[in-house]
């Protein structure tokens, strides 16, 4: 079972540095060089930034070559990564993680958990980012003989996987209260990290082994859609 995960926009300043590179480093370099040609005045619109982030993101790209690389799963600091808690893993679990989990990303394409990444800001809403990566991502998974992919990422990322070539299973977490059921973004992020940690801890190898219940959410399967539903107890 191959698992895809999503990056975050927040970074851990205490993360470990590494010399490990990402697998599509030359493609990333070419994207960075193209971004470096963008006028600073256009960064706010191009990257959909608030005023206080323009200088930071401009520096990310114009100092990209000299910036340190950080271990990806230690560096990302969003809700899913907090819930996962990478730093509590032993070496055996880190090996399983690195062998089975891949972050789908608009700048790096595919990131293994122990790959080194540099600070950046980019997502798949930017023009051309999907067209640059879609074939490369699918060809990569085909080349390693992947058949079953479990997506612990939002549709923005799972949409890049060609469903005619892989059995793609997408996981969502749904909260029900007073007969109203909906996907709550922050809970989905947290629970994706929690479920990934369970998968790593239990060394699971296929979708069929996913837990029936986790943190009060009960698994419901509809084809290749896996919904974990939590109902309000009255």
């Amino acid at each position: 079972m191959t698992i895809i995960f999503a990056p975050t926009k927040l970074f851990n300043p205490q993360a470990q540095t590494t010399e490990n590179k990402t697998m599509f480093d030359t493609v990333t370099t070419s994207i960075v060089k193209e971004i470096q040609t963008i006028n600073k005045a256009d960064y706010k619109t191009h990257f959909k930034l608030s005023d206080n982030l323009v200088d930071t993101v401009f520096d990310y790209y114009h100092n990209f070559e000299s910036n340190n690389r950080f271990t990806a799963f230690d560096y990302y600091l969003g809700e899913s990564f907090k819930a996962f808690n990478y730093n509590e893993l032993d070496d055996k679990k880190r090996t399983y993680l690195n062998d089975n989990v891949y972050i789908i990303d608009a700048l790096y394409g595919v990131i293994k958990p122990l790959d080194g990444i540099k600070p950046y800001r980019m997502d798949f809403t930017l023009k051309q980012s999907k067209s640059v990566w879609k074939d490369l991502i699918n060809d990569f998974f085909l080349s390693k003989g992947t058949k079953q992919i479990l997506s612990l990422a939002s549709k923005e990322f799972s949409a890049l996987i060609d469903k005619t070539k892989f059995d793609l299973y997408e996981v969502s977490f749904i909260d029900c209260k007073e007969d109203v059921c909906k996907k709550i973004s922050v809970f989905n992020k947290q629970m994706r990290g929690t479920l990934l940690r369970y998968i790593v801890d239990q060394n699971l190898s296929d979708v069929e082994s996913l837990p029936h219940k986790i943190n009060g959410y009960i698994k419901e399967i509809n084809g290749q859609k896996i919904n974990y539903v939590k109902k309000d107890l009255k």
Side-chain angles (χ1 to χ4, degrees), residues 2 7 13 17 85 89-90 105 107 134 146-147 158 168 189 218 232:
T2 291
T17 58
N85 203 349
L89 296 183
D90 60 26
D105 185 74
L107 180 63
K134 188 165 186 176
T146 300
K147 292 184 174 133
S158 59
L168 176 67
K189 291 173 182 176
I218 306 297
D232 186 31

Side-chain angles (χ1 to χ4, degrees), residues 177-191:
K177 189 171 184 178
E178 297 179 352
D179 297 324
V180 176
C181 298
K182 57 185 177 180
K183 299 175 185 178
I184 300 173
S185 178
V186 66
F187 292 165
N188 266 266
K189 291 173 182 176
Q190 291 168 349
M191 286 306 303

Side-chain angles (χ1 to χ4, degrees), residues 176-179 213 216 218 229-234:
C176 299
K177 189 171 184 178
E178 297 179 352
D179 297 324
K213 183 176 181 179
I218 306 297
V229 182
K230 179 185 282 187
K231 296 182 179 179
D232 186 31
L233 297 177
K234 297 181 181 180

